[in-house]
């Protein structure tokens, strides 16, 4: 049996339609589709329904995969877990770059932890803090009002020009403190990609479980930041040493001087003043 856990809200509410493509991929095997947003008891699912020889396919976006890994944290997977990306960003899939669906057991073990507001979460791509969190906040609001696709790049540009206000940040990496003024971005990454193809820390490799990397974009005004911002999609923003710095370590704490939205693999948390990310 192939159990397909799909997110109907993924891919701008096209999750089920896109997940249905798996019927053709597994046309010679029996499949069961389960709405992952309605699964309440993963222990029962894995203990009572999923048997030896079965497989599980997660069909959704990065946020769907994030929710799965956090909701099954106490479960030891004894069956193959595969991923079929049908989200709007698909940064994990972009980073791993395998034929879809592909096995992910090796990628969802020993994941880094981020602590936010006293709660701990595992993450697979990165933790966005700054205008990226703001973009997710605005995107969530727009999604609740309309079924139109969300243009995060447009949200980021408007935020840079009109709405988002940079902050002062203190970033502590393995006990060493760094202070920055006018911080626009301060994401901590486990993989290379986030935000629909941005590469904030080009040298970070998810295969290296010994470190995480934080990128700080800081110090400049709106126009200069807007000019440099698009280069993050090629990882070339790091050439601007006067406004971009990348730090790596096992434990990274980021503190802002005012509450700001934060996103973990695309899942938004509002009103955050600090987070601490640690390797497994």
């Amino acid at each position: 049996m192939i159990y397909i856990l799909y997110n109907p809200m993924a891919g701008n509410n096209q999750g089920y339609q896109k997940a249905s493509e798996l019927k053709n991929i597994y046309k010679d095997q029996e499949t069961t589709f389960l709405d992952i947003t309605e699964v309440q008891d993963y222990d029962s699912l894995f203990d009572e329904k999923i048997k030896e020889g079965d497989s599980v396919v997660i069909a959704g976006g990065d946020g769907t995969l994030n929710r799965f890994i956090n909701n099954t944290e106490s479960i030891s997977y004894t069956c193959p877990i595969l991923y079929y990306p049908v989200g709007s960003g698909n940064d994990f899939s972009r980073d791993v770059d395998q034929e879809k669906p592909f096995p992910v057991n090796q990628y969802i073990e020993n994941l880094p932890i981020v602590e936010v507001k006293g709660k701990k979460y595992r993450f697979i791509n990165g933790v966005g803090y700054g205008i990226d969190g703001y973009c997710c906040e605005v995107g969530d609001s727009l999604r609740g009002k309309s079924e139109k696709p969300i243009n995060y790049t447009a949200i980021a540009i408007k935020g840079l020009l009109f709405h988002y206000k940079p902050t002062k940040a203190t970033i502590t990496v393995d006990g060493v403190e760094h202070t920055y003024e006018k911080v626009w971005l301060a994401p901590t990454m486990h993989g290379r990609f986030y935000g629909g193809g941005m590469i904030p820390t080009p040298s970070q490799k998810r295969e290296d479980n010994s470190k995480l990397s934080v990128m700080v974009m800081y110090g400049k005004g709106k126009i200069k930041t807007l000019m440099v911002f698009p280069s993050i999609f090629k990882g070339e923003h790091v050439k601007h040493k006067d406004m971009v710095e990348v730090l790596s370590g096992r434990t990274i704490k980021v503190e802002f001087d005012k509450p700001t939205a934060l996103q973990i693999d695309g899942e938004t948390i509002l009103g955050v003043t600090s987070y601490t990310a640690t390797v497994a």
Side-chain angles (χ1 to χ4, degrees), residues 171-173 178 180 185-192 199-205 211-218 232 235-249 252:
I171 299 178
T172 306
V173 179
H178 309 261
Y180 303 88
L185 286 169
T188 293
M189 302 298 297
H190 171 52
R192 286 185 302 156
I199 315 173
T201 56
S203 297
Q204 174 66 27
K205 307 296 183 187
K211 69 180 180 69
L212 302 169
S213 297
V214 58
M215 184 276 289
V216 193
M217 184 175 286
Y218 69 100
I232 197 172
E236 295 178 352
H237 61 297
V238 296
K239 297 177 181 179
H240 298 267
K241 304 294 186 182
D242 60 330
M243 60 181 294
V244 175
E245 185 168 13
V246 177
L247 305 168
S248 297
I252 297 172

Side-chain angles (χ1 to χ4, degrees), residues 135-183:
C135 289
C136 287
E137 178 183 6
V138 174
D140 290 347
S141 177
L142 293 174
R143 191 176 292 108
K145 301 174 183 177
S146 171
E147 294 186 358
K148 293 181 180 179
I150 306 299
N151 188 331
Y152 286 100
T153 302
I155 295 172
I157 292 173
K158 290 180 181 178
L160 278 167
L161 287 175
F162 306 112
H163 306 298
Y164 184 78
K165 306 299 181 184
T167 65
K168 179 179 179 180
T170 300
I171 299 178
T172 306
V173 179
D174 292 343
V176 180
E177 189 175 289
H178 309 261
T179 302
Y180 303 88
E181 300 287 344
K182 297 181 69 173
V183 173

